[in-house]
Amino acid sequence: QKLVISQTEIDEKIKTIETQLEAQGQKLDTVLTQQKQTKTDLEKQIKLQIIVEKILGKDIQVTDKEINDYFETNKQYYSKDTKLEAKKNEISNLLSQQKLSEKVQPWLDGIRKAASIRYFVQF
């Protein structure tokens, strides 16, 4: 598909992860160590994620109704004074990721079925 993933895109995702972890009182390096991963491993995973998002994510749309429904269904998890507008982007991103996850497995299954893999073993 001739996709190009820049280091800037990867760095932006890592910065987002770092910000989320810091909000929870954690450090990225500590979490990576706990998961027995390196920053290079994380960069490879993020690059793969971006590729999948670019291939499958272009058709994903989240409607205002879906966002409103999600907020209403999960209202008990937010504080009483939380407004929909404050959580709209977060909910939209969550729903986009859910829709993307639903598309990944059928896409991979299709690729596997269409693939012609030959193993050459030397003895």
Side-chain angles (χ1 to χ4, degrees), residues 6 10 29 37 40 43-44 46 48 51 55 58 66 70 73 80 83 91 94 96 102 104 107 109 111 115-118:
S6 70
I10 295 169
D29 291 333
Q37 291 188 340
T40 303
E43 286 180 356
K44 287 178 184 177
I46 288 173
L48 181 59
I51 289 169
I55 292 172
K58 60 186 174 234
E66 290 171 317
Y70 181 90
T73 302
K80 290 182 182 181
K83 303 279 186 230
I91 293 170
L94 175 70
S96 292
E102 291 169 4
V104 168
W107 176 68
D109 291 342
I111 289 173
S116 175
I117 301 172
R118 294 191 176 104

Side-chain angles (χ1 to χ4, degrees), residues 7-99:
Q7 187 62 41
T8 304
E9 290 175 281
I10 295 169
D11 292 342
E12 286 174 5
K13 292 271 190 183
I14 289 174
K15 184 65 179 162
T16 301
I17 292 169
E18 285 177 329
T19 302
Q20 291 170 345
L21 288 173
E22 286 173 5
Q24 298 171 9
Q26 298 178 319
K27 296 281 185 199
L28 178 61
D29 291 333
T30 305
V31 172
L32 288 173
T33 302
Q34 291 170 347
Q35 295 178 353
K36 297 180 177 153
Q37 291 188 340
T38 65
K39 202 157 189 174
T40 303
D41 296 333
L42 177 63
E43 286 180 356
K44 287 178 184 177
Q45 289 175 1
I46 288 173
K47 185 174 183 178
L48 181 59
Q49 178 186 355
I50 293 170
I51 289 169
V52 170
E53 287 174 359
K54 286 187 175 189
I55 292 172
L56 300 177
K58 60 186 174 234
D59 300 327
I60 293 176
Q61 294 181 358
V62 177
T63 65
D64 286 339
K65 182 181 180 342
E66 290 171 317
I67 293 169
N68 291 335
D69 290 347
Y70 181 90
F71 184 76
E72 290 301 319
T73 302
N74 296 287
K75 221 174 194 175
Q76 74 264 15
Y77 300 113
Y78 299 112
S79 62
K80 290 182 182 181
D81 59 342
T82 301
K83 303 279 186 230
L84 172 62
E85 291 304 315
K87 295 292 182 181
K88 197 169 190 171
N89 284 340
E90 181 181 317
I91 293 170
S92 179
N93 289 338
L94 175 70
L95 294 174
S96 292
Q97 286 300 315
Q98 285 177 351
K99 288 182 177 189

